[in-house]
Amino acid sequence: MQIRWKDFVEAIRGGKTDFTSGSVRRAIFLLSVPMILEMSMESLFAVVDAYFVGQVSVDALATLGLTESVMFLVYSLAIGLSMAVTAMVARRIGEKNPTGAAEVAGQSIYLALGLSLLVAVPGYIFAEDILRLMGGDQQMIDSGLGYTQIMLGGNATAMMLFLLNAVFRGAGNATLAMYSLWLANAINIVLDPCLILGLGPFPELGVAGAAVATNIGRGTGVIFQLIILLGGRSLIPMARDSFRFHFDVMKKLFLVSLGGMGQYLVNSASWIFLVRIIAQFGSAAVAGYTIAIRVIIFTILPSWGIASASATLVGQNLGAGKPDRAEKSVWLAAFYNMVFLVGVGLVFAVGAEFFIRIFNEEPEVVKIGKQSLQVLCASYVFFAYGMVVIQSFNGAGDTRTPLLISLMCLWVIQIPMAYTLAVFWNWGPLGVFISIALCEAIMTGVAIYLFRLGRWKTIKV
């Protein structure tokens, strides 16, 4: 099917579309475009954030890297819950049960607020200990403690932003999710240099200014989301009854989310161990790695847009009793994702040094960052398929399978391999980068094998 200009306009404007019938290619396009644009704005913020923090000092940039590694634990909870929300909302929409979808959304808000409180209090109180545990020296802690306290203490804005966008995506309202993240990150990008560098009437807060800007932007995005949901402008009719406690819905949501949370907790904990290994080689190594990851996120997040589109299509089509259409959606989305990421990987492989120097000119930082970018981009062809297939498991409500894959590949293989190559074999940070690339290939192979077995088609949520 040929994609026309009016399809692009429809994807941007949004509307009521039945994704369980008609062209699969068109369905992927209509969902992917707003999700890609949504994630592109998120990735742009990640790059802008790293750029302005990099103007403060190498220690500030290293603090950003260490704190973000810890924040991955918060994102694990948020994304894990979001997976369950997307799967259950999409299934209810596929079943033509919007009231049931609204009940899922209401219960998920209670879970999100409770989890964010459990992180905020100890995170703020023990922020200094967390940075020290991550390998930060006293100078780094002194310069970046405020950033860590604000990010962990204000994690509710991130939790709610993830969650409510998952509601929109599951319903097929990808355009509304895009608008909310655009708003949040546009505010972030404007406030970032103002609060970090003290432009105009704004105070110069240094790296802590990045955290303040982030929470203000995300908080504004959450307010926008709630106005849309409660104002009846989405496909989910949220009303007072939606916020009544429904034990069965809450229990199911919690059980499904456990697998998703487990996946990202495993991934995040693995990431923390890798950063801890790299931290042994100094602030320049952490800073170089942080820059490379921010550059990679610039392309990975749009790819997550395609993967999220496949998850929504899987959930809705399973709800409509069309498992073959769900599977076709996955393979098409994975192919499109592979084409995109391979092209980007080639650009980064050739221009790695140029991209790293945009953020920092120190020779050691550039060396490590270039090395990281080139090695990690070599795994893009595998990662492209793996991320779509794994997200499709989640879209079906089968969060357990990806959890087991992550446990085996990251904890049993990746961490021991990274430590052996980097420390025992004295390869330094390069050993960590190689272990990440190799494990991405292994994870993709395992995920595709299990996906072909088809158990995910029988999961009930």
Side-chain angles (χ1 to χ4, degrees):
M1 188 210 79
Q2 183 178 4
I3 299 299
R4 296 164 294 180
W5 172 251
K6 73 175 186 178
D7 293 321
F8 180 79
V9 173
E10 181 180 344
I12 298 297
R13 288 181 177 175
K16 296 183 178 180
T17 303
D18 184 359
F19 295 111
T20 62
S21 62
S23 168
V24 174
R25 284 186 172 85
R26 186 170 184 271
I28 293 173
F29 182 82
L30 292 178
L31 281 172
S32 293
V33 167
M35 289 183 182
I36 289 171
L37 292 175
E38 173 193 347
M39 293 294 102
S40 294
M41 175 59 82
E42 178 74 12
S43 60
L44 176 61
F45 168 69
V47 172
V48 170
D49 200 33
Y51 174 80
F52 284 111
V53 170
Q55 309 308 302
V56 178
S57 68
V58 172
D59 279 335
L61 194 57
T63 300
L64 180 73
L66 295 182
T67 303
E68 282 296 295
S69 297
V70 178
M71 282 297 293
F72 270 124
L73 295 174
V74 176
Y75 301 148
S76 299
L77 299 176
I79 295 173
L81 181 56
S82 297
M83 284 180 193
V85 171
T86 295
M88 291 181 66
V89 168
R91 193 69 68 95
R92 300 294 90 78
I93 293 296
E95 295 167 349
K96 311 302 180 187
N97 180 14
T99 302
E103 289 179 354
V104 173
Q107 305 310 298
S108 64
I109 290 175
Y110 294 139
L111 276 177
L113 292 176
L115 289 172
S116 65
L117 184 62
L118 290 177
V119 172
V121 176
Y124 185 88
I125 294 174
F126 299 108
E128 182 173 349
D129 298 311
I130 291 170
L131 286 175
R132 186 170 288 108
L133 183 64
M134 288 296 298
D137 56 32
Q138 192 59 47
Q139 182 176 336
M140 187 189 303
I141 292 171
D142 291 341
S143 67
L145 180 60
Y147 176 85
T148 305
Q149 288 178 323
I150 295 169
M151 288 300 293
L152 292 175
N155 77 88
T157 58
M159 192 82 74
M160 289 296 293
L161 195 66
F162 274 109
L163 167 73
L164 296 178
N165 268 0
V167 173
F168 289 141
R169 293 192 196 102
N173 278 146
T175 303
L176 293 177
M178 175 187 73
Y179 289 151
S180 63
L181 208 57
W182 273 11
L183 174 63
N185 285 332
I187 293 173
N188 287 350
I189 290 170
V190 171
L191 289 181
D192 233 16
C194 296
L195 292 172
I196 293 172
L197 305 176
L199 302 181
F202 294 92
E204 184 178 348
L205 301 179
V207 66
V212 174
T214 296
N215 280 300
I216 291 175
R218 286 174 174 167
T220 306
V222 170
I223 292 172
F224 171 81
Q225 292 170 322
L226 291 173
I227 290 173
I228 294 295
L229 281 172
L230 300 178
R233 300 180 186 179
S234 73
L235 294 175
I236 299 179
M238 291 199 72
R240 183 175 298 177
D241 287 347
S242 304
F243 292 96
R244 290 181 179 175
F245 186 80
H246 296 274
F247 178 77
D248 290 342
V249 176
M250 178 74 80
K251 178 182 177 182
K252 189 67 175 179
L253 182 64
F254 180 72
L255 291 176
V256 176
S257 69
L258 283 178
M261 291 178 191
Q263 285 175 51
Y264 279 83
L265 285 171
V266 167
N267 293 348
S268 300
S270 170
W271 204 262
I272 289 173
F273 271 97
L274 296 181
V275 173
R276 185 65 181 85
I277 293 171
I278 292 173
Q280 297 182 46
F281 302 97
S283 293
V286 176
Y289 180 57
T290 299
I291 293 173
I293 292 300
R294 286 300 175 108
V295 173
I296 286 173
I297 286 173
F298 190 75
T299 54
I300 291 298
L301 284 179
S303 288
W304 275 112
I306 300 175
S308 297
S310 73
T312 296
L313 288 172
V314 166
Q316 290 199 8
N317 282 290
L318 287 180
K322 299 180 179 180
D324 291 341
R325 179 181 170 86
E327 184 171 1
K328 182 179 179 181
S329 302
V330 174
W331 295 125
L332 278 174
F335 175 75
Y336 298 149
N337 200 31
M338 183 270 293
V339 172
F340 169 70
L341 277 184
V342 167
V344 171
L346 291 173
V347 172
F348 281 167
V350 174
E353 183 170 339
F354 167 77
F355 291 112
I356 299 300
R357 286 188 179 277
I358 293 175
F359 301 91
N360 197 284
E361 293 280 352
E362 290 198 20
E364 188 63 21
V365 173
V366 172
K367 175 186 173 183
I368 298 296
K370 175 183 175 181
Q371 195 177 67
S372 176
L373 193 57
Q374 289 178 329
V375 173
L376 295 182
C377 284
S379 66
Y380 267 13
V381 65
F382 304 105
F383 188 58
Y385 267 86
M387 68 194 303
V388 171
V389 172
I390 286 176
Q391 278 296 90
S392 298
F393 277 121
N394 293 322
D398 181 9
T399 55
R400 180 174 174 270
T401 296
L403 172 59
L404 295 176
I405 293 173
S406 296
L407 276 171
M408 182 191 75
C409 294
L410 300 182
W411 283 82
V412 178
I413 300 175
Q414 187 182 81
I415 293 176
M417 183 191 300
Y419 193 82
T420 299
L421 296 180
V423 180
F424 287 157
W425 289 13
N426 202 30
W427 287 14
L430 176 61
V432 176
F433 309 150
I434 290 175
S435 71
I436 294 173
L438 289 176
C439 283
E440 288 297 344
I442 296 171
M443 286 182 70
T444 297
V446 173
I448 289 175
Y449 171 75
L450 294 176
F451 185 80
R452 286 187 176 277
L453 294 180
R455 177 182 170 274
W456 56 274
K457 296 178 182 179
T458 64
I459 298 296
K460 303 295 182 183
V461 295

